[in-house]
Amino acid sequence: MSEPKRLHPIAVLLNILKSIKELVLPFMLVIFIPGRNEGIPGWVQPLAVSIIVLFLIVRAFLQWLRFTYRIEDGEFRIESGVFVRKKRYIKLDRIHSIDISEGIIQQMFRLVKVNIETAGGTQADAVLSAINKSDAERINAFISVEKNNKVCDPSGMEQEGWAGKEETMIAPSVYKQTLPQLVFMAATSGAVGVFLSGAIAFISQFDEIIPFGRIFKNYEDFIGMGTVILTSFAITGLLAVYVLATLSMVIKYASFTVMKTEEELIISRGLLEKRQLTIPVHKIQGIRIIENLVRKPLGFATVYLEYAGGSVEDKESLTIMLFPFIKKKHLHGTLGEILPDYQTMTEMTPIPKRALSRYFFRKAAFIIPIIGVLSWVFRPWGFLSLLLLPLGILWAYMQYRDAGWNIDGDLLLLSSRLFSKQTLIMQRSRIQSISFKRSWFQSRKELATISASIKSGVHSRVGVVTDVAENDCQAIESWYVPKKAVDTQ
Amino acid sequence: MEPENRISNKALTVWRISGIIGCSITWIIVIAVLVLTILFDWPYWIIGALSIISIIQSYLSIFLMPLVKWKRWRYEVRNTDIDIQSGILVIKRTLIPMVRVQHVETKQGPLLRKYDLASVEISTAATMHVIPALDLAEADELRRYISRMASVEEEDV
């Protein structure tokens, strides 16, 4: 593969689409802002637009022409750039993972998009926007051969053992998400909120362009219809948004599959845009279980992977779902198949009873001033804010109940709740540092806040549990840094 | 069982000086408001409240806080881990195993240089920890020691 290769010509189209995507807002402003183009002849606007479009097409073509990739001397080499020539050489053994995805256009031409990720992540990684599937597989094979040559020194070979390797080759563990599960997951995901706020933000952008006032004036009868019909309209609207949001989630995560080979997890998903992520198991730093308000009572959870990789530009590579929707009972068994290192019963040691009053106190410290201000400023309706008090008490109690920790062999589990319950499972050898914090109030009750950091993506993920008993903290400390080792060495 | 080493007691002087620098900004504002009050007949309670606030701030940031902070600051570097304690109201203890340390560096600002001090920054893959204000020789020795110990056992991230 040492001869330079170009992308599939369809990449020209992809380049054009990409620049149109970037230009869409300025374009809209030029075309739609009324009252600006007086005095300018009518033919200027179409001419300007067509010149810009022509320029985009030529640039996209040149970009495609200049973009070549090849594998040479153990390096992945990309040369690109129209005005500024860029040469990016990536050492093959520095490549962390390969992410293969298919957009709608790629699917039509049986092509794939390949993202090559390296360590570090802050740097832009290599993206091949459209190549043949067979080419992608050849690159993949080439890279993994190269990496295995480097990684598998004889000692490593013996440790892993050939037998185990063959066994996993024959029967790779597979985890699949069924359609009903996905629909249920999407329905309980809270994606509606994101969808709604997005819609509201979008509409408020056009507040001044769309004459809401005029529309509503003409429809005074409409308002006259009474609150019953209005409410039913609102509810129907909300329902429609909810269904749309759910559908878009289902499409995004359709046919979700996790496959395990000897050293890698391969996660694939998507209907319109297919994505495939390859994650080396030894880069996995921890596992995060999220149980939101709706799913927790039903016994379901979402499981995320924390891993040292991914790039800043590609947000999705930073939070990776391992199991979008799983019954918590089944988690133990499924983890055992996919990631045996992290197999654990998620039973937590609760924090002591004396911590409960601290949880109430902390909520009261900011809820009571809010109630005070609201009641004072918006009398008499402000007194409704007193309802926040029972809500705050409930919230504090739930946070207290869900806070906990556990040590299971080489694993540390920390759980806490902000809104959703989060359980972080970390291996001892992956925890970068542990801190204990005590305020004066806490030390009076012999409590401390514990936090443990692991590397995740480009930054870190910190698990925090507030008000753990002090002797429990000492247990965690001596588990993390065994004191005996100090004497013997 | 607290970590045993304290940081240099010259740190107290350095923190006090930076406290004074911080307070001088507030005092300049107070003087400006005083001038405005005299020129434009502003009500006197504004300048009164401002001066009380800045007196309290000066006391806290020049006298009390550096002292408490210095008393709390402790560290200990063992051959398997680094143990750091800091804080004013909330006491924080951090444990960093040697094998997790990725690199160590010493730093000197103008104030620290004047007093022949340096701070030591310890970075892991995910976190960064600072020991402020050690004597320069001690800081250099610590940096050498930590980087030597950290490279003994090399593990993946």
Side-chain angles (χ1 to χ4, degrees):
Chain A
M1 290 199 71
S2 61
E3 77 285 3
K5 288 192 89 172
R6 288 212 175 84
L7 302 176
H8 190 274
I10 208 69
V12 177
L13 183 64
L14 288 168
N15 284 342
I16 295 172
L17 286 178
K18 199 179 150 201
S19 17
I20 286 179
K21 224 172 167 181
E22 285 159 11
L23 280 175
V24 102
L25 265 179
F27 250 116
M28 295 248 282
L29 286 181
V30 172
I31 296 169
F32 294 115
I33 285 186
R36 281 280 174 88
N37 42 8
E38 287 155 22
I40 301 172
W43 50 267
V44 169
Q45 215 180 39
L47 184 73
V49 170
S50 48
I51 285 175
I52 293 171
V53 170
L54 196 71
F55 172 73
L56 284 184
I57 292 173
V58 171
R59 198 181 66 161
F61 180 73
L62 287 177
Q63 270 174 352
W64 169 76
L65 202 67
R66 288 271 183 238
F67 190 103
T68 60
Y69 67 92
R70 62 185 192 271
I71 295 176
E72 210 174 56
D73 294 339
E75 282 181 332
F76 195 88
R77 298 183 171 174
I78 289 180
E79 295 180 8
S80 66
V82 179
F83 298 111
V84 182
R85 297 286 175 81
K86 277 196 281 190
K87 290 182 179 179
R88 174 169 292 157
Y89 292 0
I90 302 169
K91 282 227 173 293
L92 289 182
D93 54 345
R94 282 273 155 228
I95 292 172
H96 257 187
S97 67
I98 295 155
D99 173 3
I100 296 173
S101 59
E102 294 169 43
I104 299 171
I105 292 171
Q106 280 98 338
Q107 276 182 52
M108 284 195 302
F109 293 89
R110 299 183 176 282
L111 301 170
V112 288
K113 178 181 169 188
V114 179
N115 258 338
I116 295 175
E117 289 177 2
T118 57
T122 39
Q123 206 183 3
D125 306 308
V127 180
L128 307 176
S129 56
I131 59 172
N132 283 327
K133 268 182 187 166
S134 55
D135 277 348
E137 265 151 32
R138 256 164 59 203
I139 293 174
N140 209 343
F142 211 91
I143 289 172
S144 56
V145 164
E146 188 76 14
K147 274 165 84 179
N148 285 344
N149 285 346
K150 288 266 160 65
V151 172
C152 282
D153 48 320
S155 64
M157 210 92 106
E158 263 170 285
Q159 269 179 15
E160 298 295 326
W162 279 102
K165 203 170 176 180
E166 269 163 26
E167 205 177 55
T168 43
M169 289 284 265
I170 295 160
S173 313
V174 175
Y175 173 80
K176 268 195 179 138
Q177 205 85 63
T178 61
L179 194 63
Q181 274 177 331
L182 274 171
V183 173
F184 202 39
M185 168 228 164
T188 57
S189 67
V192 207
V194 182
F195 228 76
L196 260 184
S197 57
I200 289 169
F202 188 73
I203 290 169
S204 64
Q205 286 292 308
F206 294 94
D207 218 9
E208 286 165 23
I209 301 169
I210 303 170
F212 280 116
R214 220 186 314 144
I215 293 173
F216 284 121
K217 233 173 231 161
N218 292 344
Y219 289 88
E220 265 174 4
D221 327 335
F222 176 78
I223 295 166
M225 283 190 289
T227 43
V228 181
I229 296 172
L230 264 185
T231 344
S232 56
F233 261 108
I235 289 171
T236 327
L238 276 176
L239 257 170
V241 172
Y242 180 68
V243 170
L244 269 178
T246 306
L247 252 169
S248 74
M249 276 286 269
V250 172
I251 288 170
K252 196 173 164 195
Y253 290 102
S255 62
F256 190 99
T257 318
V258 181
M259 250 185 347
K260 200 201 165 177
T261 65
E262 69 258 58
E263 274 162 8
E264 282 165 342
L265 285 186
I266 300 164
I267 302 174
S268 53
R269 63 158 173 78
L271 195 65
L272 292 181
E273 203 207 352
K274 282 184 191 156
R275 262 189 91 110
Q276 186 183 324
L277 274 162
T278 311
I279 296 161
V281 171
H282 71 278
K283 288 286 169 203
I284 294 171
Q285 306 287 310
I287 275 179
R288 194 158 50 102
I289 304 166
I290 300 284
E291 295 159 86
N292 74 15
L293 282 171
V294 186
R295 289 179 200 159
K296 186 164 189 293
L298 301 171
F300 286 98
T302 303
V303 180
Y304 293 88
L305 273 184
E306 302 291 349
Y307 99 119
S311 66
V312 188
E313 285 170 23
D314 186 14
K315 291 234 169 60
E316 248 171 71
S317 70
L318 292 178
T319 49
I320 300 159
M321 270 191 196
L322 181 62
F323 311 131
F325 200 66
I326 189 168
K327 192 115 190 148
K328 203 151 174 234
K329 287 194 295 203
H330 301 156
L331 188 60
H332 182 253
T334 317
L335 266 182
E337 278 169 36
I338 306 265
L339 285 173
D341 284 349
Y342 290 92
Q343 189 176 30
T344 172
M345 305 300 289
T346 47
E347 274 165 12
M348 310 303 277
T349 314
I351 56 173
K353 277 229 170 58
R354 59 181 187 275
L356 183 57
S357 61
R358 299 267 318 126
Y359 274 81
F360 285 138
F361 176 74
R362 259 190 293 262
K363 282 286 159 309
F366 79 92
I367 283 182
I368 287 175
I370 289 175
I371 292 177
V373 169
L374 284 177
S375 307
W376 179 257
V377 177
F378 302 106
R379 270 169 302 170
W381 286 103
F383 288 115
L384 275 178
S385 62
L386 280 173
L387 285 174
L388 284 175
L389 208 58
L391 271 178
I393 290 172
L394 182 70
W395 187 17
Y397 178 72
M398 281 163 75
Q399 287 191 325
Y400 159 78
R401 193 195 55 194
D402 289 329
W405 64 278
N406 196 14
I407 289 172
D408 183 1
D410 260 343
L411 296 175
L412 174 67
L413 288 78
L414 296 178
S415 74
S416 60
R417 175 194 280 276
L418 182 63
F419 297 106
S420 301
K421 183 183 176 187
Q422 168 182 304
T423 310
L424 202 58
I425 306 176
M426 297 163 279
Q427 271 184 302
R428 173 161 51 195
S429 58
R430 303 290 190 187
I431 301 174
Q432 303 292 335
S433 68
I434 280 189
S435 304
F436 304 96
K437 273 189 252 179
R438 287 192 322 272
S439 69
W440 181 74
F441 292 107
Q442 280 176 312
S443 55
R444 218 175 44 163
K445 289 197 162 185
E446 296 185 342
L447 299 168
T449 300
I450 176 171
S451 51
S453 319
I454 51 172
K455 187 167 172 61
S456 167
V458 214
H459 301 290
S460 58
R461 171 81 55 194
V462 188
V464 182
V465 187
T466 314
D467 294 340
V468 177
E470 237 165 46
N471 35 354
D472 288 348
C473 286
Q474 271 157 24
I476 294 170
E477 188 186 323
S478 53
W479 167 83
Y480 186 52
V481 189
K483 288 286 177 242
K484 276 175 199 158
V486 181
D487 302 332
T488 50
Q489 278 185 5
Chain B
M1 316 190 292
E2 293 187 312
E4 55 186 20
N5 308 322
R6 286 183 184 279
I7 56 173
S8 164
N9 48 11
K10 280 186 280 182
L12 209 52
T13 327
V14 171
W15 285 339
R16 291 210 160 124
I17 292 172
S18 55
I20 290 170
I21 294 170
C23 286
S24 59
I25 294 164
T26 343
W27 282 108
I28 288 169
I29 294 170
V30 170
I31 291 166
V33 173
L34 183 68
V35 171
L36 289 172
T37 310
I38 293 167
L39 283 182
F40 300 107
D41 274 344
W42 283 3
Y44 281 100
W45 62 266
I46 296 178
I47 186 73
L50 266 181
S51 13
I52 289 170
I53 291 172
S54 20
I55 288 168
I56 295 172
Q57 190 214 356
S58 308
Y59 172 71
L60 286 179
S61 65
I62 299 173
F63 297 102
L64 193 65
M65 306 250 268
L67 195 67
V68 177
K69 201 161 124 187
W70 185 79
K71 275 189 178 158
R72 288 263 188 267
W73 244 106
R74 280 158 184 278
Y75 73 96
E76 194 175 336
V77 177
R78 294 180 277 260
N79 50 9
T80 51
D81 63 307
I82 301 163
D83 192 345
I84 296 173
Q85 176 184 291
S86 67
I88 296 168
L89 289 175
V90 179
I91 306 167
K92 180 178 180 183
R93 258 193 77 199
T94 307
L95 294 167
I96 312 141
M98 270 306 174
V99 286
R100 296 280 91 80
V101 174
Q102 289 212 321
H103 61 265
V104 205
E105 56 186 45
T106 48
K107 265 192 184 171
Q108 257 185 329
L111 255 183
L112 289 178
R113 183 152 52 228
K114 183 163 185 307
Y115 287 90
D116 210 20
L117 298 171
S119 63
V120 180
E121 287 183 5
I122 302 158
S123 310
T124 67
T127 56
M128 219 256 277
H129 312 271
V130 184
I131 303 175
L134 294 179
D135 285 322
L136 189 58
E138 198 187 342
D140 284 337
E141 176 53 34
L142 200 65
R143 189 194 59 216
R144 270 194 290 274
Y145 180 75
I146 293 175
S147 65
R148 204 176 57 231
M149 291 310 292
S151 58
V152 170
E153 264 184 275
E154 204 55 65
E155 273 182 49
D156 209 359
V157 181

